[in-house]
Amino acid sequence: MVADCGANCARWLLCLANFVFVVVSTGVLIAGTWLAADKASFINTSLNITTSEYHPVSSADSTEAEKILQEFVEPAVIEQAAYILIALGAFIFIIAFLGYCGAIKESRVLLTAYGIFLIIIFVLQIALILLCTLYKSQADHHSKGFLKSSLSKYYTTGTNKDAVTHSWDLVMAHMSCCGVDGAEDFRTAKLFVQKSSAEGLGRQVPESCCILTGDPLSLRPEDPSCISNPTHSNSYLATGCYHKFSNIVNDNVNIVIGVVVVVAATQLLAIIFSFCLCRAVGEERDYHYKY
């Protein structure tokens, strides 16, 4: 065990921080595995433990809860989310496990591997930030393209809404926006156009694009005619969600920069601590070898 005070502090800080990440990543792994193995059970449990007064299921009867559950379980996006959770949890777990075991066992091999992994992640993050800064217009174009594609291919209306539709409704209702660039995006949303034609209501936009009354999750427009005759006074037809989100980021740019700096500083400290502890362990062993 290293006798140096600084090395000991680095050791226990690494142990504590990585133990927290091991616990968190294990939880993510369990959630992802559960979701992949039994989507219905996972979502049903999640809905049952929700105690919020304004949650859509908290005040719904069992039939409505079952319907909401079915809507969220059916789409393949839920299954894809499960695999993303498993991959993310496994990645964090491996790196945190290297750091924890390397620090607690004072293993130079594990500490070196941990430090190298963090350096690679840090460099990739810097590269990503630089690429997004240098190619901002291209990044905006591809991001908008992806969002418009999800809206065009999967967004629908009526009783058989899927997870993608619910996600878009949630975003638009809470951010007070409509589509990616505005209400015109729904003219090219194939499923939405088909379902709207079948309804026979002359629907132009979904309820989530309208100015709502009461709980946003209930999707009740202030003006019932909004869905067929959206105007600037009863809807957000000219306010795209992408532009709205960009404005929110720009308005809170100091917070975003602060978060990035804190994350980068934490990673740098972890890298420095791991290599300092690795060096202290080596010097300690050399000392005992000589004397």
Side-chain angles (χ1 to χ4, degrees):
M1 183 175 179
V2 292
D4 182 74
C5 180
N8 262 321
C9 288
R11 179 185 180 221
W12 291 113
L13 282 172
L14 284 174
C15 285
L16 179 61
N18 284 290
F19 178 76
V20 172
F21 278 107
V22 165
V23 172
V24 171
S25 60
T26 301
V28 173
L29 269 173
I30 292 172
T33 305
W34 185 7
L35 188 58
D38 190 357
K39 299 188 290 292
S41 172
F42 178 86
I43 297 175
N44 191 33
T45 303
S46 300
L47 294 177
N48 286 337
I49 64 176
T50 302
T51 57
S52 172
E53 181 183 354
Y54 297 105
H55 195 277
V57 182
S58 60
S59 59
D61 56 23
S62 59
T63 304
E64 187 177 354
E66 184 66 26
K67 183 183 71 174
I68 295 173
L69 172 64
Q70 185 66 26
E71 289 170 349
F72 274 91
V73 170
E74 282 182 347
V77 69
I78 298 297
E79 188 172 348
Q80 294 167 359
Y83 294 130
I84 290 172
L85 285 175
I86 291 172
L88 181 64
F91 179 72
I92 296 173
F93 180 85
I94 290 170
I95 295 177
F97 187 77
L98 285 174
Y100 178 76
C101 290
I104 203 76
K105 294 292 185 182
E106 296 183 354
S107 169
R108 298 184 71 187
V109 175
L110 294 179
L111 286 169
T112 301
Y114 174 71
I116 290 172
F117 270 121
L118 287 182
I119 290 173
I120 292 172
I121 294 170
F122 184 78
V123 170
L124 289 175
Q125 288 173 337
I126 296 297
L128 180 63
I129 292 171
L130 289 175
L131 286 173
C132 288
T133 304
L134 294 173
Y135 300 99
K136 186 178 182 301
S137 59
Q138 290 91 330
D140 287 342
H141 175 74
H142 288 297
S143 299
K144 279 189 177 183
F146 171 76
L147 293 172
K148 287 195 175 189
S149 175
S150 70
L151 197 69
S152 175
K153 292 180 180 178
Y154 304 111
Y155 191 89
T156 186
T157 188
T159 56
N160 296 320
K161 292 183 178 181
D162 59 15
V164 176
T165 302
H166 278 290
S167 299
W168 268 109
D169 282 341
L170 189 68
V171 169
M172 291 189 291
H174 281 277
M175 291 182 62
S176 301
C177 57
C178 186
V180 180
D181 287 321
E184 64 274 6
D185 291 331
F186 291 98
R187 296 174 186 170
T188 57
K190 299 175 183 177
L191 286 176
F192 177 79
V193 172
Q194 291 173 4
K195 293 286 185 180
S196 297
S197 299
E199 279 182 330
L201 300 175
R203 181 189 294 273
Q204 300 296 318
V205 295
E207 287 84 354
S208 50
C209 277
C210 300
I211 296 175
L212 304 174
T213 181
D215 179 13
L217 291 175
S218 64
L219 301 180
R220 290 195 301 269
E222 264 187 6
D223 181 1
S225 66
C226 168
I227 60 172
S228 58
N229 184 30
T231 64
H232 291 285
S233 61
N234 66 9
S235 71
Y236 305 103
L237 63 89
T239 307
C241 293
Y242 193 88
H243 180 70
K244 190 72 176 284
F245 178 75
S246 298
N247 286 342
I248 292 173
V249 172
N250 291 332
D251 291 341
N252 298 279
V253 67
N254 291 334
I255 296 175
V256 174
I257 293 173
V259 171
V260 171
V261 169
V262 168
V263 171
T266 303
Q267 289 177 327
L268 281 174
L269 283 174
I271 292 169
I272 293 169
F273 284 169
S274 63
F275 284 114
C276 285
L277 181 57
C278 187
R279 180 181 177 183
V281 170
E283 290 177 350
E284 187 80 8
R285 289 177 182 173
D286 288 342
Y287 177 82
H288 287 297
Y289 180 76
K290 290 178 182 178
Y291 300 101

